Amino acid sequence: MRSLATYLVEILEANGVDTVFGIPGVHTIDLYRGLEGSGIRHVTPRHEQGAGFMADGYARVTGKPGVCFIITGPGMTNIVTAMGQAYGDSIPMLVISSVNSVGELGSGRGHLHELKDQSSLIREVSAFSHTILDVSEVEPVLTRAFALFAAGRPRPVHIEIPVGLLNTDASSMPAARRFVLPGAPAPAPQAVKEIATRLSAASRPLIVAGGGAIRAASAIQTLAERLGAPVVMTVNARGVVPGDHPLAVPLTGDCAAVTALLDGSDAILALGTEFGPTDFADRLPRNGRLSGWLARVDLDAEQLMRGLQADLPVLADAKHTATEVLEALPEREPRQAGADLARAARQEVEGALNPVIAAGLQMLDTLAHDVPDAVMVGDSTQPVYAGCTAFGAPRPGSFFCSATGFGTLGYALPAAVGAALGSRGRPVFGIIGDGGLQFTIGEMASATEAATSIRLIVWNNSGYGEIKTYMINAGVAPVGVDTYTPNFEVLAPGFGWGYRKASSMAAFRAAISDPSPGNLVIEIDEASFVASSAGKQL
């Protein structure tokens, strides 16, 4: 018999799914029966939150949805945090779970893993949550999910299946097929014409790129060069223009330099950015309007109406829009002033960094210089905050983190596992604090099991250093931030990892060039590293 679970797996495989993250449970064993004989690889994390973070990292480096198989009840409550991070960052994630059988749903009788209304809980961190009640629903709901990933604002999708239906006979269902999906929407010709005209006539044009502009990197760089327009990149857009490009402004909007660029520009094209407070803080005008003309391009109609009010809101794909505007742009000499403005903004921010942030930024610059093909996966930790402040990634998708948006801890290790599995041999570096690592430290075993070769940079300040500083500056006694820190040198071999200590930049450079196979912990003592980095340039 061909079961519903087998039919579902066949559809996933037909649509390019090659990896699934999950922890088997009594409520999902039929999904695993479906995996048997397929070409889909299964990766077992040590916690369902780890499964979600792995799927997130995998999706960011492949552009494909990260897929998870999760048990009902505690499995779903465990993955909610990871789904929240993916929702905040617009990452495609497909979470397929079991749910209690029909007749047990919402009974309140205390069935194993019973929640009052699992779908309602998950709906808060997903584009939609759907309960399958008949085998005929499987293909339509998966088509709907993949259409969203292909042409809409990609966010997690949750599909739950009652346990009793997983082994339902699906022999009458047609053969699994690859979906024919809609393409991302193109901008209206009149909108393209107006944007091109405004940018061409502007004396100080500006481009703002968000995470939704990652796929438009090539067109954006060419457009910026044609205009001589600086490109402000949010954290999720770093590398859209390489950090060493004269027009690159890899800075958060939480600085006077970016505010000056926004205030001083007479025509701004914003692509795939929500102008969110974790990127722009409170520096945007309270009346929601800039002094110059603003076009906002986004796949989400509601998002276009939030925050900064656009003179021209465009519901369209960033890549289509940038490409078509470039084609419509009249020939003109690029403004040299744009490169001067970009350089001045970078210098203003970099000259005001405190020693810890400056050392973290130098570490990231060194890593990008010495390992130019690296994928850097960041947690909420000091060097990643430095990266958010002013790191110019060398290429799109080469630096991403959990420090903005939902702002989770423990992300970097499991997300690096997912990135390593999807990166096709590119070197992957996780960057995490000693406190954050203890959230998901069990995923070191998952990495060993998955045969990855991750370099995990552990920034050790013996606790929650950023929060401690924040408490002290706020006049609050630092309670609960000086935590016990494990001996990573002893711990790493127990998980099958190598270990190196790096208390200076020279030691760090030696560690990141270590050719040893397998996974490696690179522990950095913050105090020693910051002291050794003071005043040094790459």
Side-chain angles (χ1 to χ4, degrees), residues 361-524:
L361 186 59
Q362 188 183 354
M363 187 192 85
L364 295 176
D365 286 338
T366 299
L367 178 53
H369 177 273
D370 290 8
V371 192
D373 200 33
V375 177
M376 305 178 209
V377 185
D379 211 87
S380 291
T381 188
Q382 296 278 18
V384 177
Y385 300 145
C388 295
T389 301
F391 176 57
R395 55 193 290 184
S398 60
F399 172 78
F400 55 87
C401 68
S402 64
T404 60
F406 207 56
T408 58
L409 277 166
Y411 169 87
L413 170 56
V417 173
L421 293 172
S423 66
R424 299 181 181 178
R426 286 178 64 189
V428 174
F429 292 80
I431 307 166
I432 195 165
D434 59 289
L437 177 56
Q438 293 180 68
F439 277 58
T440 53
I441 201 165
E443 305 306 348
M444 292 178 71
S446 307
T448 300
E449 197 169 82
T452 56
S453 292
I454 296 163
R455 272 49 186 149
L456 187 67
I457 300 167
V458 180
W459 185 266
N460 191 344
N461 53 25
S462 299
Y464 302 126
E466 177 72 10
I467 303 303
K468 182 176 182 177
T469 300
Y470 195 90
M471 293 174 81
I472 292 171
N473 290 341
V476 178
V479 176
V481 289
D482 294 315
T483 59
Y484 177 79
T485 302
N487 185 330
F488 295 112
E489 185 174 6
V490 173
L491 186 148
F495 281 111
W497 286 54
Y499 173 87
R500 292 192 67 153
K501 187 74 172 280
S503 295
S504 67
M505 189 58 69
F508 175 72
R509 299 185 88 156
I512 62 175
S513 63
D514 188 329
S516 303
N519 301 295
L520 178 69
V521 169
I522 302 172
E523 183 180 1
I524 295 179

Side-chain angles (χ1 to χ4, degrees), residues 138-323:
V138 174
E139 185 182 66
V141 74
L142 285 172
T143 307
R144 182 180 163 200
F146 277 81
L148 175 71
F149 300 147
R153 184 177 187 176
R155 279 175 155 167
V157 167
H158 173 234
I159 298 171
E160 63 179 15
I161 308 167
V163 175
L165 288 181
L166 285 169
N167 204 32
T168 300
D169 188 355
S171 300
S172 63
M173 292 294 104
R177 62 189 178 90
R178 190 167 188 87
F179 301 140
V180 178
L181 301 172
Q190 187 58 39
V192 171
K193 181 179 180 181
E194 183 172 357
I195 293 170
T197 300
R198 291 276 187 172
L199 290 176
S200 180
S203 60
R204 293 184 66 172
L206 179 70
I207 297 172
V208 180
I214 286 286
R215 294 190 312 110
S218 178
I220 290 173
Q221 181 173 331
T222 304
L223 180 61
E225 290 168 347
R226 184 85 63 83
L227 293 166
V231 181
V232 173
M233 292 168 278
T234 68
V235 173
N236 282 330
R238 297 297 166 81
V240 163
V241 174
D244 59 359
H245 192 285
L247 293 169
V249 186
L251 309 173
T252 59
D254 185 20
C255 65
V258 171
T259 303
L261 283 173
L262 290 169
D263 288 343
S265 296
D266 49 357
I268 302 170
L269 173 60
L271 298 154
T273 176
E274 60 189 6
F275 284 105
T278 53
D279 272 303
F280 290 90
D282 295 321
R283 290 187 173 273
L284 298 177
R286 291 189 178 276
N287 65 3
R289 291 196 173 276
L290 297 173
S291 56
W293 183 85
L294 171 65
R296 287 186 64 181
V297 180
D298 205 289
L299 287 169
D300 186 337
E302 287 185 86
Q303 196 60 56
L304 279 172
M305 298 297 109
R306 295 189 180 114
L308 279 182
Q309 296 300 297
D311 298 281
L312 179 63
V314 181
L315 185 66
D317 172 71
K319 183 177 181 180
H320 287 326
T321 304
T323 300

